[in-house]
Amino acid sequence: MRDIAAQLLEWHAAGKNYAVASIIGIGGSAPRPIGAALAVDADGTVVGSISGGCVEGAVYELCRESLATGATIRETFGYSDTDAFAVGLTCGGTIQVFVQSVTEANRTAVEQVLRAEGEAVAMVRDLDSGAVMALGTWWSSGHEFDDRVIAEAQAMLDAGATAVRTVGCGDEEITVFVESHVPPPRMIVFGAIDFAAAVARIGKFLGYHVTVCDARAVFATPARFPDADEVVVEWPDKYLARTRVDARTVVCVLTHDAKFDVPLLRVALRLPVAFVGAMGSRRTHEDRLQRLLAVGMTNAELARLKSPIGLDLGGRTPEETAVSIAAEIVAVRRGGTGISLGAYGGPIHRDAVAVPEVIVPDSPDALRLSV
């Protein structure tokens, strides 16, 4: 629906009711992906497309029916060998379509999703009742679904997934369509050094929106970091305190200079981000921990810090170091062990799991052993 958000928001501003048809499943070859939408307002105006023309006429009538009755409708369209002139997809695939009216009952939740540009947001729709919830990383509004549904939708939002899910069983079973809209997750790299260029490059490869930040204008230039989406000249802690982050953001501190590291990590370790790692030798790490304790950081906060940053791959070059850092980020975000798959006895592909927070005993000596 976000593809046609501009037109839909005009309808919202005018107080118009409309029906929206969304693709909730596909089979074989289909012209549009899951989540593609077509909407029809009370005047019969159409925006969007779900099939490039193959079944638009039939879906238009379903939208008009939903507007007239208020009912939700599920329909499957596919190519029929027995009746080549029937409504269907000439490409040979099938699509499952869900049609629902947007009225005063659900308008606010839908509008929140449409307006959430640049923010991770999902629309959760009950395929039976038509109840709608808008779900952000840290908030929700609209219909209050069961906690199990919300947990499933949050996991899908984190992964940027759009699909139908059935939660519960028997009388408590509910089938929902979760439509996620997420901007690329952010990777913020502090320290305009050669290692940062390699980390920025692999960050882009992994699909991150990469920012490189350093207070030194002579080093922080787009020419030195062509793979970064943006290069910022600002004191790192000041920039991190004002910029947008979320639960998917990863922070890589490569400055290994106390005047930058300490105020920066003091901010970073108190933000709800996915990963905070800092480069440096073990001696630098020990000194950094003591400085952070001295400025009021708690042992629990310091336990979030991945330092020295990266997995033990034995790499030495900036590129090899970047692979090590990227590997640790993937492991932390996806619940990996970081050990060789040949030595790991569990499943190779598994759902991401929450990494438990380590609560470190409240003493500097214990901290050195545990972080």
Side-chain angles (χ1 to χ4, degrees):
M1 286 178 64
R2 288 283 291 276
D3 291 343
I4 54 176
Q7 180 61 62
L8 296 185
L9 286 172
E10 289 185 12
W11 290 353
H12 280 246
K16 290 186 175 183
N17 293 341
Y18 61 92
V20 60
S22 301
I23 297 179
I24 62 172
I26 60 175
S29 177
R32 300 296 310 280
I34 292 177
L38 175 150
V40 180
D41 73 1
D43 299 325
T45 303
V46 182
V47 295
S49 172
I50 61 171
S51 71
C54 302
V55 301
E56 251 68 348
V59 173
Y60 173 86
E61 295 301 330
L62 293 179
C63 287
R64 298 285 285 176
E65 179 183 342
S66 179
L67 275 170
T69 64
T72 61
I73 303 169
R74 294 174 69 176
E75 187 66 80
T76 299
F77 297 94
Y79 182 79
S80 170
D81 289 330
T82 59
D83 185 1
F85 293 99
V87 173
L89 300 178
T90 57
C91 56
T94 61
I95 60 172
Q96 298 171 33
V97 177
F98 176 65
V99 182
Q100 173 182 30
S101 293
V102 176
T103 62
E104 289 300 321
N106 53 27
R107 187 186 307 277
T108 299
V110 172
E111 185 166 329
Q112 282 189 285
V113 174
L114 296 176
R115 291 191 181 280
E117 186 174 354
E119 178 184 355
V121 65
M123 185 185 304
V124 184
R125 288 182 270 177
D126 185 331
L127 295 185
D128 294 317
S129 71
V132 180
M133 177 176 69
L135 182 68
T137 305
W138 305 108
W139 57 269
S140 66
S141 70
H143 180 77
E144 288 295 328
F145 283 96
D146 181 275
D147 288 345
R148 294 170 298 175
V149 175
I150 294 175
E152 179 69 21
Q154 283 283 12
M156 293 177 67
L157 177 59
D158 182 64
T162 292
V164 172
R165 290 287 188 269
T166 299
V167 180
C169 59
D171 293 339
E172 296 183 354
E173 183 177 282
I174 179 172
T175 301
V176 296
F177 178 53
V178 181
E179 184 179 352
S180 297
H181 302 278
V182 294
R186 295 193 69 189
M187 172 184 281
I188 310 177
V189 183
F190 293 98
I193 62 175
D194 51 355
F195 288 93
V199 171
R201 189 154 54 249
I202 202 166
K204 285 299 295 180
F205 175 74
L206 291 176
Y208 286 93
H209 177 96
V210 179
T211 300
V212 174
C213 176
D214 197 298
R216 303 165 298 178
V218 67
F219 296 113
T221 65
R224 295 190 68 225
F225 301 97
D227 296 292
D229 293 287
E230 56 182 347
V231 179
V232 176
V233 179
E234 191 171 343
W235 276 88
D237 59 309
K238 299 293 192 296
Y239 174 73
L240 187 58
R242 71 169 177 82
T243 195
R244 175 188 59 81
V245 299
D246 61 26
R248 302 177 302 143
T249 301
V250 300
V251 176
C252 302
V253 179
L254 310 184
T255 48
H256 51 84
D257 182 331
K259 68 177 178 290
F260 293 120
D261 290 1
V262 172
L264 172 58
L265 289 171
R266 189 180 184 185
V267 174
L269 293 171
R270 290 172 173 168
L271 291 175
V273 297
F275 177 93
V276 180
M279 178 179 279
S281 67
R282 298 195 184 281
R283 181 175 178 178
T284 298
H285 170 67
E286 295 292 335
D287 177 70
R288 182 188 290 135
L289 289 179
Q290 297 308 313
R291 290 175 183 271
L292 288 168
L293 284 170
V295 296
M297 300 296 294
T298 67
N299 289 335
E301 289 169 337
L302 293 180
R304 298 185 59 209
L305 177 61
K306 304 300 180 183
S307 175
I309 193 172
L311 298 184
D312 178 21
L313 303 183
R316 292 186 176 274
T317 67
E319 289 73 22
E320 290 171 342
T321 302
V323 170
S324 168
I325 292 170
E328 184 175 32
I329 290 170
V330 172
V332 168
R333 290 204 64 211
R334 301 304 181 197
T337 64
I339 66 175
S340 166
L341 286 174
Y344 173 63
I348 294 175
H349 300 292
R350 58 196 185 280
D351 292 336
V353 297
V355 179
E357 183 178 4
V358 178
I359 304 300
V360 182
D362 194 15
S363 79
D365 290 337
L367 182 64
R368 291 194 186 97
L369 295 174
S370 302
V371 174

